[in-house]
C-alpha cells in the first residue's frame, strides 16, 4: 500500500531551505559578474566564457532560482494546509 503525506514541520523546513537558495544563487550570479567585470582577461577564451555565462549559464541559474522559489512556496503552503487539517499550528 502506498502512503502519502508529510510531516508539516519538516515540509516547512524544506520550503524555507529551498527558498533560501534563491538568495544563494543571486549572490553567485552577482559574484561571478563582479569578478568577471573586474578581471583583466582578453581573447577568445574570455569571449567564449562570457558569452556562455551571460547566455546559457545565467539563464539556467535564474530558472533554478525560479524553481527553488516555487518549490519552497509550495512546500510551505502544503505544510500549512496539513497542519490545519491536523489541528496544529506551525
Amino acid at each position: 500500500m502506498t502512503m502519502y503525506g508529510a510531516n508539516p514541520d519538516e515540509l516547512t523546513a524544506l520550503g524555507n531551505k529551498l527558498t533560501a537558495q534563491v538568495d544563494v544563487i543571486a549572490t553567485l550570479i552577482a559574484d561571478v559578474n563582479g569578478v568577471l567585470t573586474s578581471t583583466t582577461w582578453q581573447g577568445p577564451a574570455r569571449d567564449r566564457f562570457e558569452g556562455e555565462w551571460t547566455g546559457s549559464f545565467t539563464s539556467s541559474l535564474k530558472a533554478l532560482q525560479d524553481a527553488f522559489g516555487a518549490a519552497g512556496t509550495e512546500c510551505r503552503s502544503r505544510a500549512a494546509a496539513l497542519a490545519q487539517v491536523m489541528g496544529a499550528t506551525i
Side-chain angles (χ1 to χ4, degrees), residues 36 41-54:
L36 186 58
W41 177 23
Q42 294 179 352
R46 181 198 173 107
D47 296 342
R48 189 171 39 257
F49 176 77
E50 194 168 22
E52 290 174 349
W53 173 252
T54 59

Side-chain angles (χ1 to χ4, degrees), residues 18-90:
L18 291 170
T19 301
Q21 300 316 301
V22 171
D23 292 335
V24 171
I25 295 167
T27 299
L28 171 68
I29 292 170
D31 287 351
V32 172
N33 283 338
V35 171
L36 186 58
T37 300
S38 66
T39 298
T40 303
W41 177 23
Q42 294 179 352
R46 181 198 173 107
D47 296 342
R48 189 171 39 257
F49 176 77
E50 194 168 22
E52 290 174 349
W53 173 252
T54 59
S56 63
F57 293 168
T58 301
S59 66
S60 293
L61 287 169
K62 288 181 179 182
L64 185 59
Q65 265 185 313
D66 292 344
F68 278 154
T73 298
E74 179 72 15
C75 286
R76 287 192 310 275
S77 175
R78 288 183 181 274
L82 279 169
Q84 184 177 10
V85 166
M86 296 166 65
T89 58
I90 302 180

